[in-house]
Amino acid sequence: MVAARVPLWAVCVLRMTLATVYFQEEFLDGERWRNRWVQSANDSQFGHFRLSSGKFYGHKEKDKGLQTTQNGRFYAISARFKPFSNKGKTLVIQYTVKHEQKMDCGGGYIKVFPADIDQKNLNGKSQYYIMFGPDICGFDIKKVHVILHFKNQYHSNKKSIRCKVDGFTHLYTLILRPDLTYEVKIDSQSIEAGSIEYDWNLTSLKKMEKSSAESKDWAQAKDDKSQDWEKHFLDASASKPSDWNSELDGDWQAPMLQKPPYQDGLKPEGIDKDVWLHQKMKNTNYLTEYDLSEFENIGAIGLELWQVRSGTIFDNFLITDDEEYAENFGKATWGETKGPEREMDAIQAKEEVKKAREEDEEEMLMDKFNGQESNFRRFHRRDEF
């Protein structure tokens, strides 16, 4: 019997239903975004956001996002969602950012907060779980921040991850996996990946707890071995072999017997530490409640940053547990508009060059006309004399 083939669209739909989407924002309902996003009132000088697709775009409506509007300002805004824990799950954080103003100094990163964040008082001192995204300032700082909150401290990735510095929209993706690996993508391309323990110079609580348990149990095993070894006794039923040569082989001694036998698979001739620990600990629950990439109460996402020149547009926010869903969402948003955006920018650039050339020609004609008129006046003045 031949199994029926499942159509590709059905597989995609199934994949989407398996994914958990904690937060998704595309700003497709106009000014209703203000009902979901809360502007911080902590400082009256905080800059304000507006909904805009910018001066050039791939799609006027789909490319609308939160745009900074005032130069030399701090910004603080956030949105809530149903709290969740990513324990034992992959965590994917993704969004697009467009530095239309060709950023010279300022942030383009986002922050993920615990559910108890005070949105009305959001500021630079507000505790966050994760900070991720580009930061640009001068010639020296052009990096992607990946900062994790662990054991009441903030820890930065020790690798230098370079961000995009042009004026186009770019897709930024951070993936934190339960096996303590991570990946950073820009425009769907992996640009950095590795171990959270190594790249943040941290030690997993799970690893610390496991090592402690192993050391304790191994020490106990050695003590048990010593105690049992003292219980050996001579085998009284044994007799000296007929070919035993006392001059060559030395004095004969009866073999040792052990009683009681070793437990848990331990053998008299020695203990294989790795094998024994595997048997001993395979049913031991030694894992702690949280670890390097586990956050128990994720409940908000926001922008808390500084910009010298405004104009950055943030859009297509996504938090999910499914890498494939994030990839498909990126293709359906940024992937659909990135090409048309660059085409519109190229057309505008040509128009600006044409306009500038026409203005220069007009200015040259005016200068020539003014020069001729000046010469005409000087000629008639000489005739008067």
Side-chain angles (χ1 to χ4, degrees):
M1 180 177 179
V2 180
R5 296 185 62 183
V6 180
L8 181 61
W9 65 265
V11 175
C12 294
V13 170
L14 177 61
R15 187 69 190 179
M16 292 176 64
T17 59
L18 294 176
T20 300
V21 178
Y22 304 108
F23 181 78
Q24 184 170 305
E25 175 67 87
E26 300 176 66
F27 303 102
L28 298 178
D29 57 352
E31 290 302 308
R32 292 180 183 176
W33 70 270
R34 298 184 185 277
N35 298 327
R36 300 185 296 274
W37 292 78
V38 177
Q39 172 85 33
S40 175
N42 179 268
D43 190 330
S44 61
Q45 295 301 309
F46 277 165
H48 292 279
F49 291 89
R50 68 182 175 190
L51 196 64
S52 174
S53 52
K55 298 176 181 177
F56 58 94
Y57 41 80
H59 190 285
K60 187 173 183 180
E61 297 302 321
K62 291 182 179 180
D63 282 348
K64 283 185 177 179
L66 294 182
Q67 184 179 42
T68 56
T69 62
Q70 296 165 281
N71 296 337
R73 296 292 184 96
F74 284 99
Y75 291 84
I77 195 170
S78 61
R80 284 192 186 279
F81 44 83
K82 184 179 179 181
F84 72 95
S85 167
N86 72 312
K87 183 178 179 179
K89 299 179 180 179
T90 295
L91 179 63
V92 185
I93 300 169
Q94 183 172 278
Y95 71 108
T96 56
V97 58
K98 175 187 179 185
H99 292 312
E100 187 174 79
Q101 75 280 36
K102 302 287 182 67
M103 176 68 75
D104 50 359
C105 188
Y109 44 80
I110 62 174
K111 292 182 177 181
V112 175
F113 300 96
D116 58 359
I117 185 72
D118 184 353
Q119 290 180 277
K120 281 291 185 180
N121 288 306
L122 179 63
N123 60 80
K125 295 182 179 180
S126 299
Q127 179 186 323
Y128 61 86
Y129 284 146
I130 301 169
M131 175 174 157
F132 169 61
D135 191 13
I136 299 171
C137 196
F139 295 100
D140 298 330
I141 301 177
K142 294 180 176 65
K143 65 180 297 183
V144 177
H145 286 294
V146 189
I147 302 176
L148 304 179
H149 185 264
F150 178 65
K151 295 180 70 174
N152 298 318
Q153 292 184 337
Y154 296 112
H155 303 271
S156 298
N157 187 303
K158 68 181 182 181
K159 292 183 177 178
S160 178
I161 308 175
R162 186 176 175 83
C163 65
K164 299 291 184 178
V165 296
D166 56 47
F168 298 109
T169 301
H170 293 285
L171 180 70
Y172 284 82
T173 307
L174 171 64
I175 304 170
L176 301 176
R177 303 186 181 98
D179 63 355
L180 298 185
T181 62
Y182 76 98
E183 188 172 4
V184 174
K185 295 181 178 182
I186 299 181
D187 297 345
S188 297
Q189 299 297 315
S190 180
I191 61 169
E192 194 56 77
S195 164
I196 296 177
E197 291 183 279
Y198 179 77
D199 290 349
W200 273 263
N201 289 327
L202 298 174
T203 301
S204 165
L205 289 180
K206 294 178 181 179
K207 186 175 182 179
M208 293 170 60
E209 193 76 14
K210 179 178 179 180
S211 297
S212 176
E214 287 180 351
S215 299
K216 181 178 179 181
D217 287 338
W218 177 240
Q220 183 64 40
K222 291 194 294 185
D223 292 342
D224 293 343
K225 178 182 177 182
S226 298
Q227 293 173 6
D228 287 343
W229 201 251
E230 294 173 356
K231 298 177 182 179
H232 285 197
F233 58 92
L234 292 174
D235 183 0
S237 63
S239 59
K240 184 171 67 173
S242 59
D243 60 348
W244 187 272
N245 188 325
S246 297
E247 293 181 0
L248 297 177
D249 301 326
D251 295 335
W252 179 84
Q253 291 184 350
M256 300 290 289
L257 293 179
Q258 172 207 1
K259 187 178 181 179
Y262 282 88
Q263 304 295 319
D264 293 329
L266 303 185
K267 298 179 180 180
E269 60 266 23
I271 303 176
D272 186 316
K273 179 179 177 181
D274 294 333
V275 173
W276 182 83
L277 283 175
H278 175 71
Q279 295 175 343
K280 184 75 176 177
M281 300 189 66
K282 63 183 179 181
N283 295 321
T284 303
N285 183 19
Y286 58 81
L287 301 183
T288 55
E289 288 301 314
Y290 79 107
D291 207 16
L292 305 182
S293 61
E294 293 178 352
F295 305 98
E296 289 293 330
N297 194 33
I298 303 173
I301 188 171
L303 305 168
E304 190 285 309
L305 43 84
W306 160 267
Q307 290 194 342
V308 173
R309 284 197 297 163
S310 63
T312 301
I313 299 175
F314 300 86
D315 195 8
N316 302 312
F317 295 91
L318 176 68
I319 301 179
T320 181
D321 66 349
D322 193 287
E323 296 181 41
E324 186 173 346
Y325 181 90
E327 183 178 352
N328 290 333
F329 180 73
K331 291 178 180 178
T333 52
W334 169 82
E336 292 292 328
T337 61
K338 63 174 181 175
E341 177 188 74
R342 290 176 179 264
E343 291 173 4
M344 184 174 184
D345 177 67
I347 292 173
Q348 288 184 352
K350 290 181 180 179
E351 292 177 347
E352 289 175 0
V353 170
K354 181 181 178 182
K355 183 178 180 181
R357 185 182 298 115
E358 290 174 349
E359 290 177 349
D360 289 342
E361 291 175 353
E362 184 177 350
E363 186 175 350
M364 290 175 62
L365 288 173
M366 289 298 296
D367 290 341
K368 184 177 181 180
F369 175 78
N370 291 334
Q372 290 177 345
E373 184 179 10
S374 177
N375 290 334
F376 177 78
R377 289 175 179 174
R378 286 199 300 271
F379 176 78
H380 281 284
R381 275 201 213 95
R382 285 198 304 269
D383 288 346
E384 292 176 359
F385 293 108

